[in-house]
Amino acid sequence: MQYTDAQLNQIYDRTSGKCHICGKKLSFSNYGLSGRKGAWHVEHSNPKAKGGTYHLNNLFAACVSCNQEKGIYTSKTARSWHNRKRAPLSRKKRKKAKTENAIIAGGIGAIIGGVVAGPPGAIIGGGIGAKLGHNVDPDEK
Ligand SMILES: [Zn+2]
C-alpha cells in the first residue's frame, strides 16, 4: 500500500510524530527507510491478518522494530511491553490535556493557598498549581 504525503502527515501527526507503541520520536522524512534514524512504518493497530483495515483510524506511526515486534499482537499488548497504556497524543490533544491539567491543578492550588494564607495565598497557590499542572506531560499519565 502506497500512502500519499497527506495521509502520512495525518498518521504521523496523530501521535505528534512518535511511535505509537514505544513513544520514540520518529523522523517524518525517514518513512520506510529502515536503518535511518527515526525510520518508521505505518502500523495497523488491528493487524491486517485479523481483519484490520486501511482506514486512518486503524493506522499509526511506529518505528520499524516495533512494527516487526508487534506482529499480530494488539496495540495494547505491544504498548505494555514498553510500559505504555496508550498512543502518544497528537499536538492538539496534548495542548488540550495540558490546559485541563493546569485548570485542575490551579483550582487545587488556589484552595490550598486560600486555606493556608487567605485570598493572597489563593492567588499564589493558583498560579503555582496552574504552572505545575501545565508542566505535567499528558503522555506520562
Ligand atoms: Zn517504537
Side-chain angles (χ1 to χ4, degrees):
M1 165 96 183
Q2 281 287 102
Y3 298 97
T4 65
D5 265 6
Q7 286 171 320
L8 288 176
N9 254 312
Q10 233 176 318
I11 295 163
Y12 185 84
D13 282 348
R14 279 185 83 186
T15 52
S16 306
K18 291 177 186 166
C19 170
H20 85 108
I21 294 168
C22 72
K24 207 172 78 181
K25 188 91 184 82
L26 305 167
S27 165
F28 183 79
S29 56
N30 284 342
Y31 169 71
L33 301 172
S34 305
R36 296 268 193 104
K37 196 169 183 288
W40 60 290
H41 282 164
V42 172
E43 211 277 312
H44 289 71
S45 183
N46 180 22
K48 281 177 282 182
K50 290 187 174 175
T53 66
Y54 281 95
H55 196 274
L56 268 184
N57 64 16
N58 191 41
L59 304 175
F60 280 99
C63 43
V64 176
S65 57
C66 280
N67 186 32
Q68 285 163 353
E69 193 176 88
K70 179 171 171 286
I72 57 158
Y73 291 97
T74 63
S75 293
K76 206 179 155 203
T77 305
R79 284 171 195 156
S80 74
W81 299 333
H82 299 273
N83 294 319
R84 303 183 73 90
K85 286 197 179 75
R86 60 183 194 197
L89 299 171
S90 68
R91 233 175 282 279
K92 226 161 126 187
K93 283 193 182 152
R94 278 179 68 86
K95 211 174 155 202
K96 195 167 163 261
K98 272 184 169 271
T99 305
E100 281 167 4
N101 284 343
I103 292 167
I104 295 163
I108 295 167
I111 291 164
I112 295 168
V115 169
V116 174
I123 293 165
I124 295 164
I128 293 169
K131 184 150 178 31
L132 290 176
H134 196 262
N135 287 341
V136 173
D137 187 339
D139 285 340
E140 299 297 313
K141 275 204 295 189

